Amino acid sequence: MNKLVISFISIVLLIAACKSKSNKQIAKQQTIADTSKYYPIDNFIKDQMKFVDLRDFVIHRTITKDSSESNEIIDKSTFLAEAAKVLSITNEYIRHKELYKESVFQDLSTASYTINYTPTDPGLSIQRMDVLLSEETNIIKRCFIRTTSTENGLTTVQQISWLADHQFQISQSQTINGKTVEEKSVISWDKVLDK
């Protein structure tokens, strides 16, 4: 009887040890896979914000709403507040990046790689992200983001385009009861020429 109990306990411990090792290997593989993919888009936006904040640029903002357009020079704090809107979206993506599928292709005509992220759940607000990387340096040349949301019958679609070291724009379209209002904000920065 004792031999039977000891044999049973040994078998249970052996199965548990094998299962534990298997789970550890799976977890390790998932960790490796998770850290090896998904471009750190949030870091790119943070670096661009620092790039402008640490330099003496003239920062322009052009707002187009329906058929009217306004142009102004803005200060760094306004620039940072506008850029923080984009950073907020990229942070949201990073928090839920496991819910996005990544695909990569090489574009020989532009000497770049395009990394595309699409949601596995169509209900997510970030509907698409495209990152264009330089073929030589693997540094972002341009980033595109598309978001959509519906709240209280108001559907909002945003298209964001960020051109590295030069400008970004946020185009927004809002539709309620069949009526659409469009607005575009372009923020660009130039070196101060008289210094």
Side-chain angles (χ1 to χ4, degrees):
M1 178 85 169
N2 283 341
K3 287 184 179 181
L4 185 60
V5 171
I6 292 173
S7 295
F8 178 74
I9 292 172
S10 296
I11 290 172
V12 170
L13 290 174
L14 181 63
I15 291 171
C18 290
K19 197 175 223 183
S20 174
K21 184 177 181 183
S22 174
N23 288 342
K24 286 179 184 174
Q25 287 175 336
I26 290 169
K28 184 177 179 183
Q29 288 172 347
Q30 288 174 341
T31 302
I32 290 170
D34 186 45
T35 57
S36 66
K37 55 194 277 194
Y38 301 103
Y39 200 91
I41 300 166
D42 58 334
N43 289 342
F44 165 73
I45 300 299
K46 288 176 195 171
D47 290 344
Q48 288 288 290
M49 291 169 75
K50 287 179 194 171
F51 176 76
V52 174
D53 191 32
L54 295 174
R55 287 166 179 80
D56 192 20
F57 289 137
V58 175
I59 307 168
H60 302 271
R61 177 169 61 185
T62 303
I63 297 175
T64 307
K65 190 169 185 175
D66 294 327
S67 60
S68 64
E69 183 175 288
S70 66
N71 295 296
E72 62 183 331
I73 294 176
I74 60 173
D75 60 15
K76 287 181 185 180
S77 63
T78 304
F79 163 81
L80 293 171
E82 291 290 317
K85 295 175 186 176
V86 180
L87 181 60
S88 172
I89 293 169
T90 60
N91 286 339
E92 174 75 14
Y93 158 74
I94 293 297
R95 279 193 299 276
H96 302 290
K97 66 183 179 180
E98 72 279 359
L99 300 175
Y100 288 84
K101 182 177 71 172
E102 179 184 67
S103 61
V104 180
F105 69 91
Q106 183 179 17
D107 186 346
L108 297 175
S109 66
T110 61
S112 63
Y113 294 103
T114 298
I115 305 173
N116 173 261
Y117 299 100
T118 53
T120 55
D121 175 2
L124 293 171
S125 64
I126 301 170
Q127 290 294 299
R128 183 180 182 99
M129 296 182 77
D130 294 305
V131 178
L132 277 70
L133 301 177
S134 166
E135 198 174 73
E136 290 181 13
T137 63
N138 282 340
I139 294 174
I140 290 183
K141 297 190 319 187
R142 189 179 282 264
C143 179
F144 300 98
I145 304 169
R146 179 184 169 91
T147 68
T148 184
S149 63
T150 301
E151 189 174 323
N152 300 325
L154 177 68
T155 300
T156 304
V157 177
Q158 278 190 330
Q159 301 266 22
I160 298 165
S161 171
W162 196 297
L163 178 60
D165 303 332
H166 295 288
Q167 75 171 25
F168 71 94
Q169 74 176 33
I170 302 173
S171 298
Q172 182 170 287
S173 171
Q174 293 187 316
T175 305
I176 188 164
N177 299 329
K179 184 178 179 190
T180 302
V181 176
E182 295 185 358
E183 182 174 333
K184 179 170 73 171
S185 177
V186 179
I187 297 179
S188 59
W189 47 95
D190 301 315
K191 293 178 183 175
V192 176
L193 298 176
D194 60 352
K195 289 197 173 193

